[in-house]
Amino acid sequence: MGRAFEFRKARKFKRWGNMARVFTKLGKEITIAAKAGGPDPENNPHLRALMQNAKKENMPKENVERAIKRAVEKDFSGYKEMNYEGYGPYGIAIFVETATDNTTRTVANVRSYFNKHGGSLGTSGSLEFLFDHKCVFHIAMKDGVSLEDLELELIDYGVDELDADEESNEIVIYGEFAQNSAIQKYLEENGFEITSSEFVRIPNDLKEVTPEQREGIEKLIEKLEEDDDVQNVFHNMKEDDHEDEE
């Protein structure tokens, strides 16, 4: 599960092409977290974790401060988080997470992307069963800590998979979405450095496609990801094994 997801994420960032888009999406997440749980990271675990994400992505400190400040401004009504689900070409399930200040604009745009690229937008909740909602933590490896022992310790906290990433000297932890706070608390209290964390939707079944079909589906995914209101796009298309080896 893990490695395939990490590969998809790397490809997504590559498609975005510039850090400005990453900063925009991270900034929205920080603003939402600060509005929901307060602007003080000491008392807001989700905000604390997002600030680590920003650090890992080299997001300038002033951008982070601006995103937090925006959440407490009197005239800021906030972003609404909306999910959209539909099928792309060739029956590929696509789950779109958005954060928007204008839901009318967002749904119209998302629907038009699906329609123009041979897909169709479905009803809310219609595809949720096809994806497992997970939290993912990247933590720095710690001397004297066994991966097996850590996994046994974290099973009680809703963790179902650990991967060692030797290249970045990190451990990647996958857990139940609802257990996010409990996992974060355990890691912080036990002296683990959380380098980044996020929520993901991992498909429980992958669909094979031909290279020609993949091209058409990728066009729709890219169009969705380019929209400023779209935060994340998840799908159940099997990745190209050849690309994965590169």
Side-chain angles (χ1 to χ4, degrees):
M1 172 179 75
R3 288 185 186 86
F5 167 73
E6 291 300 316
F7 171 66
R8 282 198 295 275
K9 188 173 74 170
R11 286 195 63 208
K12 177 177 77 174
F13 278 4
K14 191 177 175 184
R15 276 204 300 267
W16 284 356
N18 64 71
M19 293 315 290
R21 187 165 284 152
V22 177
F23 295 163
T24 298
K25 292 175 189 292
L26 261 175
K28 273 191 181 181
E29 288 182 16
I30 290 167
T31 300
I32 291 165
K35 189 149 184 83
D40 182 4
E42 289 296 316
N43 302 317
N44 187 337
H46 189 201
L47 177 60
R48 198 159 62 239
L50 286 171
M51 288 173 76
Q52 280 301 116
N53 291 8
K55 187 178 176 184
K56 188 173 186 178
E57 297 300 334
N58 298 313
M59 184 172 173
K61 192 178 176 183
E62 55 267 26
N63 290 36
V64 175
E65 289 170 353
R66 199 182 306 126
I68 294 171
K69 189 180 175 187
R70 188 172 191 198
V72 295
E73 287 174 355
K74 286 181 182 177
D75 60 346
F76 179 64
S77 58
Y79 294 113
K80 192 168 185 183
E81 294 179 278
M82 299 289 291
N83 298 331
Y84 300 100
E85 300 152 66
Y87 282 99
Y90 316 107
I92 294 299
I94 298 177
F95 198 108
V96 184
E97 294 179 344
T98 72
T100 178
D101 55 5
N102 185 331
T103 54
T104 305
R105 174 191 67 221
T106 307
V107 69
N109 286 347
V110 170
R111 183 178 283 113
S112 75
Y113 303 145
F114 273 94
N115 291 345
K116 286 175 185 173
H117 292 83
S120 61
L121 195 59
T123 55
S124 181
S126 59
L127 301 185
E128 206 144 5
F129 72 99
L130 293 174
F131 296 87
D132 295 323
H133 206 185
K134 301 286 183 185
C135 59
V136 183
F137 290 90
H138 287 242
I139 63 171
M141 286 190 185
K142 204 162 76 163
D143 289 342
V145 172
S146 147
L147 207 64
E148 283 182 19
D149 290 345
L150 182 60
E151 190 163 17
L152 283 171
E153 189 79 23
L154 284 168
I155 282 172
D156 292 339
Y157 292 83
V159 166
D160 47 36
E161 186 181 345
L162 267 73
D163 273 338
D165 186 341
E166 304 291 345
E167 195 177 320
S168 62
N169 204 34
E170 289 182 338
I171 296 168
V172 187
I173 299 167
Y174 295 83
E176 293 302 322
F177 170 76
Q179 293 295 104
N180 173 70
S181 296
I183 297 167
Q184 181 176 337
K185 188 179 179 187
Y186 172 89
L187 294 171
E188 289 176 341
E189 287 180 349
N190 286 276
F192 288 96
E193 181 196 348
I194 301 171
T195 56
S196 70
S197 66
E198 61 194 311
F199 300 127
V200 301
R201 295 178 192 272
I202 296 175
N204 50 45
D205 187 39
L206 293 169
K207 291 193 74 168
E208 297 265 7
V209 293
T210 67
E212 292 76 19
Q213 290 171 339
R214 180 182 306 280
E215 199 175 322
I217 298 157
E218 285 282 2
K219 282 179 182 173
L220 169 55
I221 292 168
E222 285 173 26
K223 195 69 185 168
L224 286 162
E225 286 179 343
E226 283 170 4
D227 192 291
D228 287 341
D229 293 337
V230 172
Q231 292 293 99
N232 291 298
V233 180
F234 303 104
H235 60 81
N236 68 345
M237 173 175 65
K238 190 173 188 294
E239 293 299 331
D240 187 329
D241 291 333
H242 176 68
E243 283 184 311
D244 205 354
E245 289 164 8
E246 287 177 358

Coordinates of all heavy atoms in Angstrom, one line a residue, residues 152-205:
L152 N 4.4 -3.0 16.8 CA 3.7 -3.7 17.9 C 3.1 -2.7 18.8 O 1.9 -2.8 19.3 CB 4.5 -4.7 18.6 CG 4.8 -6.0 17.9 CD1 5.9 -6.8 18.6 CD2 3.5 -6.8 17.7
E153 N 3.9 -1.7 19.2 CA 3.5 -0.6 20.1 C 2.3 0.2 19.5 O 1.4 0.6 20.2 CB 4.7 0.3 20.4 CG 4.5 1.3 21.5 CD 4.6 0.7 22.9 OE1 5.3 -0.4 23.1 OE2 4.0 1.3 23.8
L154 N 2.4 0.5 18.2 CA 1.4 1.4 17.6 C 0.1 0.7 17.1 O -0.8 1.4 16.8 CB 2.1 2.1 16.4 CG 3.0 3.2 16.8 CD1 3.8 3.7 15.6 CD2 2.2 4.4 17.4
I155 N 0.1 -0.7 17.1 CA -1.1 -1.4 16.7 C -2.3 -0.9 17.5 O -3.4 -0.8 17.0 CB -0.9 -2.9 16.7 CG1 -0.1 -3.4 15.5 CG2 -2.2 -3.7 16.7 CD1 0.4 -4.8 15.5
D156 N -2.1 -0.8 18.8 CA -3.2 -0.4 19.7 C -3.7 1.0 19.4 O -4.7 1.4 19.9 CB -2.7 -0.4 21.2 CG -2.4 -1.8 21.6 OD1 -3.0 -2.8 21.0 OD2 -1.7 -2.0 22.6
Y157 N -2.9 1.8 18.6 CA -3.3 3.2 18.3 C -3.9 3.3 16.9 O -4.1 4.4 16.4 CB -2.1 4.1 18.4 CG -1.6 4.3 19.8 CD1 -0.7 3.3 20.4 CD2 -1.9 5.4 20.6 CE1 -0.2 3.5 21.7 CE2 -1.5 5.5 21.9 CZ -0.6 4.6 22.4 OH -0.2 4.7 23.7
G158 N -4.2 2.1 16.3 CA -4.9 2.2 15.0 C -3.9 2.2 13.8 O -4.4 2.4 12.7
V159 N -2.6 1.9 14.1 CA -1.7 1.9 13.0 C -1.7 0.5 12.3 O -1.7 -0.5 13.0 CB -0.3 2.2 13.5 CG1 0.8 1.8 12.4 CG2 -0.1 3.6 13.8
D160 N -1.7 0.4 11.0 CA -1.8 -0.8 10.3 C -0.6 -1.1 9.4 O -0.5 -2.2 8.8 CB -3.1 -1.0 9.5 CG -3.5 0.2 8.7 OD1 -2.6 0.8 8.1 OD2 -4.7 0.5 8.6
E161 N 0.3 -0.2 9.2 CA 1.5 -0.4 8.4 C 2.6 0.6 8.7 O 2.3 1.7 8.9 CB 1.1 -0.3 6.9 CG 2.2 -0.7 6.0 CD 1.9 -0.6 4.5 OE1 0.7 -0.5 4.1 OE2 2.8 -0.7 3.7
L162 N 3.8 0.0 8.7 CA 5.0 0.9 8.8 C 5.9 0.5 7.7 O 6.1 -0.6 7.4 CB 5.7 0.6 10.1 CG 5.4 1.5 11.3 CD1 4.0 1.2 11.9 CD2 6.4 1.4 12.4
D163 N 6.5 1.5 7.1 CA 7.5 1.3 6.0 C 8.8 2.1 6.4 O 8.7 3.2 6.8 CB 7.0 1.9 4.7 CG 6.2 0.8 3.9 OD1 6.3 -0.4 4.2 OD2 5.4 1.3 3.0
A164 N 9.9 1.4 6.2 CA 11.2 2.2 6.4 C 11.6 2.7 5.0 O 11.7 2.0 4.0 CB 12.3 1.2 6.9
D165 N 11.9 4.0 5.0 CA 12.4 4.7 3.8 C 13.9 5.0 4.0 O 14.2 6.0 4.6 CB 11.6 5.9 3.5 CG 11.9 6.6 2.2 OD1 13.0 6.3 1.6 OD2 11.2 7.4 1.7
E166 N 14.7 4.1 3.6 CA 16.2 4.2 3.8 C 16.7 5.5 3.2 O 17.6 6.1 3.7 CB 16.9 3.0 3.3 CG 16.4 1.6 3.9 CD 16.7 1.5 5.3 OE1 17.6 2.2 5.8 OE2 16.2 0.6 6.0
E167 N 16.2 5.8 2.0 CA 16.7 6.9 1.2 C 16.6 8.2 2.0 O 17.5 9.0 2.0 CB 15.9 7.0 -0.1 CG 16.6 7.9 -1.1 CD 15.9 8.0 -2.5 OE1 15.4 6.9 -2.9 OE2 15.8 9.0 -3.1
S168 N 15.4 8.5 2.6 CA 15.2 9.7 3.4 C 15.5 9.5 4.9 O 15.3 10.5 5.6 CB 13.8 10.2 3.2 OG 12.9 9.3 3.6
N169 N 15.9 8.3 5.3 CA 16.1 8.0 6.7 C 14.9 8.3 7.5 O 14.9 8.8 8.6 CB 17.3 8.8 7.2 CG 18.0 8.1 8.4 OD1 18.0 6.9 8.5 ND2 18.5 8.9 9.3
E170 N 13.7 7.9 7.0 CA 12.4 8.1 7.7 C 11.7 6.8 7.8 O 11.9 5.8 7.1 CB 11.6 9.1 6.9 CG 12.1 10.5 7.0 CD 11.2 11.5 6.2 OE1 10.4 11.0 5.3 OE2 11.2 12.7 6.5
I171 N 10.7 6.8 8.7 CA 9.7 5.7 8.8 C 8.4 6.3 8.4 O 8.0 7.4 8.9 CB 9.7 5.2 10.3 CG1 11.0 4.6 10.7 CG2 8.5 4.2 10.4 CD1 11.1 4.3 12.2
V172 N 7.7 5.6 7.6 CA 6.3 6.1 7.1 C 5.3 5.2 7.8 O 5.3 4.0 7.7 CB 6.2 6.0 5.6 CG1 4.9 6.6 5.1 CG2 7.4 6.7 4.9
I173 N 4.4 5.9 8.5 CA 3.3 5.2 9.3 C 2.0 5.4 8.7 O 1.6 6.6 8.5 CB 3.4 5.7 10.8 CG1 4.7 5.4 11.4 CG2 2.3 5.1 11.6 CD1 5.0 6.2 12.7
Y174 N 1.2 4.4 8.5 CA -0.2 4.5 8.0 C -1.1 4.0 9.1 O -1.0 2.9 9.7 CB -0.3 3.6 6.8 CG 0.5 4.0 5.6 CD1 1.8 3.6 5.5 CD2 -0.1 4.8 4.6 CE1 2.6 4.0 4.4 CE2 0.7 5.2 3.5 CZ 2.0 4.8 3.4 OH 2.8 5.2 2.4
G175 N -2.1 4.8 9.4 CA -3.1 4.5 10.4 C -4.5 4.9 10.1 O -4.7 5.6 9.1
E176 N -5.4 4.5 10.9 CA -6.8 4.8 10.7 C -7.0 6.3 10.8 O -6.5 7.0 11.7 CB -7.7 4.1 11.8 CG -7.7 2.6 11.6 CD -8.2 2.2 10.2 OE1 -9.1 2.8 9.7 OE2 -7.7 1.2 9.7
F177 N -7.8 6.9 10.0 CA -8.1 8.3 9.9 C -8.5 8.9 11.3 O -8.0 9.9 11.8 CB -9.1 8.6 8.9 CG -9.7 10.1 8.9 CD1 -8.9 11.1 8.4 CD2 -10.9 10.3 9.4 CE1 -9.4 12.4 8.5 CE2 -11.4 11.6 9.5 CZ -10.6 12.7 9.0
A178 N -9.4 8.1 11.9 CA -10.0 8.6 13.2 C -9.0 8.5 14.4 O -9.2 9.2 15.4 CB -11.2 7.7 13.6
Q179 N -7.9 7.8 14.2 CA -6.9 7.7 15.2 C -5.7 8.7 15.1 O -4.7 8.6 15.8 CB -6.3 6.3 15.2 CG -7.4 5.2 15.6 CD -7.8 5.4 17.1 OE1 -8.9 5.9 17.3 NE2 -6.9 5.1 18.0
N180 N -5.9 9.6 14.1 CA -4.8 10.6 13.8 C -4.2 11.3 15.1 O -3.0 11.3 15.3 CB -5.3 11.6 12.8 CG -4.3 12.7 12.6 OD1 -3.3 12.5 12.0 ND2 -4.6 13.9 13.1
S181 N -5.1 11.8 15.9 CA -4.7 12.6 17.1 C -4.0 11.7 18.1 O -3.0 12.1 18.7 CB -5.9 13.2 17.8 OG -6.5 14.2 16.9
A182 N -4.5 10.4 18.3 CA -3.9 9.5 19.2 C -2.5 9.1 18.8 O -1.5 9.0 19.6 CB -4.8 8.3 19.4
I183 N -2.3 8.9 17.5 CA -1.0 8.5 16.9 C 0.0 9.6 17.1 O 1.1 9.5 17.5 CB -1.1 8.0 15.4 CG1 -2.0 6.8 15.3 CG2 0.2 7.8 14.8 CD1 -2.5 6.5 13.9
Q184 N -0.5 10.8 16.7 CA 0.4 12.0 16.8 C 0.8 12.2 18.3 O 2.0 12.5 18.5 CB -0.3 13.3 16.3 CG 0.5 14.5 16.3 CD -0.1 15.8 15.7 OE1 -1.0 15.6 14.9 NE2 0.3 16.9 16.1
K185 N -0.1 12.1 19.2 CA 0.2 12.3 20.6 C 1.3 11.3 21.1 O 2.2 11.6 21.8 CB -1.1 12.1 21.4 CG -0.9 12.5 22.9 CD -2.2 12.4 23.7 CE -2.0 12.7 25.2 NZ -3.2 12.4 26.0
Y186 N 1.1 10.0 20.7 CA 2.1 9.0 21.1 C 3.4 9.3 20.5 O 4.5 9.2 21.2 CB 1.6 7.6 20.5 CG 2.7 6.5 20.7 CD1 2.8 5.8 21.9 CD2 3.7 6.3 19.7 CE1 3.8 4.9 22.1 CE2 4.7 5.4 19.9 CZ 4.7 4.7 21.1 OH 5.8 3.8 21.3
L187 N 3.5 9.7 19.2 CA 4.8 10.0 18.6 C 5.5 11.2 19.3 O 6.7 11.1 19.6 CB 4.6 10.3 17.1 CG 4.2 9.1 16.3 CD1 3.8 9.6 14.9 CD2 5.2 8.0 16.2
E188 N 4.7 12.2 19.6 CA 5.3 13.4 20.2 C 5.8 13.1 21.6 O 6.9 13.5 22.1 CB 4.3 14.6 20.2 CG 4.0 15.1 18.8 CD 3.0 16.2 18.8 OE1 2.2 16.3 19.7 OE2 3.0 17.0 17.8
E189 N 4.9 12.4 22.4 CA 5.3 12.1 23.8 C 6.5 11.1 23.9 O 7.1 11.1 25.0 CB 4.1 11.5 24.5 CG 3.0 12.6 24.8 CD 1.8 12.0 25.5 OE1 1.7 10.7 25.6 OE2 0.9 12.8 26.0
N190 N 6.7 10.4 22.8 CA 7.8 9.4 22.9 C 9.1 9.9 22.1 O 10.0 9.1 21.8 CB 7.4 8.0 22.4 CG 6.5 7.3 23.4 OD1 7.0 6.7 24.3 ND2 5.2 7.5 23.3
G191 N 9.1 11.2 21.9 CA 10.3 11.8 21.3 C 10.6 11.6 19.9 O 11.7 11.7 19.4
F192 N 9.6 11.2 19.1 CA 9.8 11.0 17.6 C 9.6 12.3 16.9 O 8.7 13.1 17.2 CB 8.8 10.0 17.1 CG 9.1 8.6 17.5 CD1 8.5 8.0 18.6 CD2 10.1 7.8 16.8 CE1 8.7 6.7 19.0 CE2 10.4 6.5 17.2 CZ 9.7 5.9 18.3
E193 N 10.5 12.6 16.0 CA 10.4 13.9 15.2 C 9.5 13.6 14.0 O 9.8 12.8 13.1 CB 11.8 14.3 14.7 CG 11.7 15.6 13.9 CD 13.0 15.9 13.1 OE1 14.0 15.2 13.3 OE2 12.9 16.7 12.2
I194 N 8.3 14.3 14.0 CA 7.4 14.1 12.9 C 7.8 15.1 11.8 O 7.8 16.4 12.0 CB 5.9 14.4 13.3 CG1 5.5 13.4 14.4 CG2 5.0 14.3 12.1 CD1 4.2 13.8 15.1
T195 N 8.2 14.6 10.7 CA 8.7 15.6 9.6 C 7.5 16.0 8.7 O 7.5 17.1 8.2 CB 9.8 14.9 8.7 OG1 9.3 13.7 8.2 CG2 11.0 14.6 9.5
S196 N 6.5 15.2 8.6 CA 5.3 15.6 7.9 C 4.1 14.6 8.2 O 4.4 13.5 8.6 CB 5.5 15.7 6.4 OG 5.7 14.4 5.8
S197 N 2.9 15.0 7.9 CA 1.7 14.2 8.1 C 0.7 14.6 7.2 O 0.6 15.8 6.7 CB 1.3 14.2 9.5 OG 0.8 15.4 9.9
E198 N -0.3 13.7 6.8 CA -1.4 14.1 5.9 C -2.5 13.0 6.0 O -2.3 12.0 6.6 CB -0.9 14.2 4.5 CG -0.3 12.9 3.9 CD 0.5 13.1 2.6 OE1 0.0 13.7 1.7 OE2 1.6 12.6 2.6
F199 N -3.6 13.4 5.4 CA -4.7 12.5 5.3 C -4.8 12.0 3.9 O -4.7 12.8 3.0 CB -6.0 13.1 5.7 CG -6.0 13.6 7.2 CD1 -6.4 14.9 7.5 CD2 -5.7 12.8 8.2 CE1 -6.4 15.4 8.8 CE2 -5.7 13.2 9.5 CZ -6.0 14.5 9.8
V200 N -5.0 10.7 3.7 CA -5.1 10.2 2.3 C -6.2 9.2 2.1 O -6.7 8.7 3.1 CB -3.8 9.5 1.9 CG1 -2.6 10.4 2.0 CG2 -3.5 8.3 2.7
R201 N -6.6 9.0 0.9 CA -7.6 8.0 0.6 C -7.0 7.0 -0.3 O -6.6 7.3 -1.5 CB -8.9 8.6 -0.1 CG -9.6 9.6 0.9 CD -10.8 10.3 0.3 NE -11.3 11.4 1.1 CZ -12.2 11.2 2.0 NH1 -12.7 10.1 2.3 NH2 -12.5 12.3 2.8
I202 N -6.8 5.8 0.2 CA -6.1 4.8 -0.6 C -7.1 3.8 -1.1 O -7.9 3.2 -0.4 CB -5.0 4.1 0.4 CG1 -4.0 5.1 0.8 CG2 -4.4 2.9 -0.4 CD1 -3.0 4.6 1.8
P203 N -7.0 3.6 -2.5 CA -8.0 2.7 -3.1 C -7.8 1.2 -2.6 O -6.7 0.7 -2.4 CB -7.7 2.8 -4.6 CG -6.3 3.2 -4.6 CD -6.1 4.1 -3.4
N204 N -9.0 0.6 -2.3 CA -8.9 -0.8 -1.8 C -8.9 -1.8 -2.9 O -8.7 -3.0 -2.7 CB -10.0 -1.1 -0.8 CG -11.4 -0.7 -1.3 OD1 -11.7 -1.0 -2.5 ND2 -12.2 -0.1 -0.5
D205 N -9.0 -1.3 -4.2 CA -8.9 -2.2 -5.3 C -8.4 -1.3 -6.5 O -9.0 -0.3 -6.8 CB -10.2 -2.9 -5.7 CG -10.1 -3.9 -6.8 OD1 -9.1 -4.6 -6.8 OD2 -11.0 -4.0 -7.6

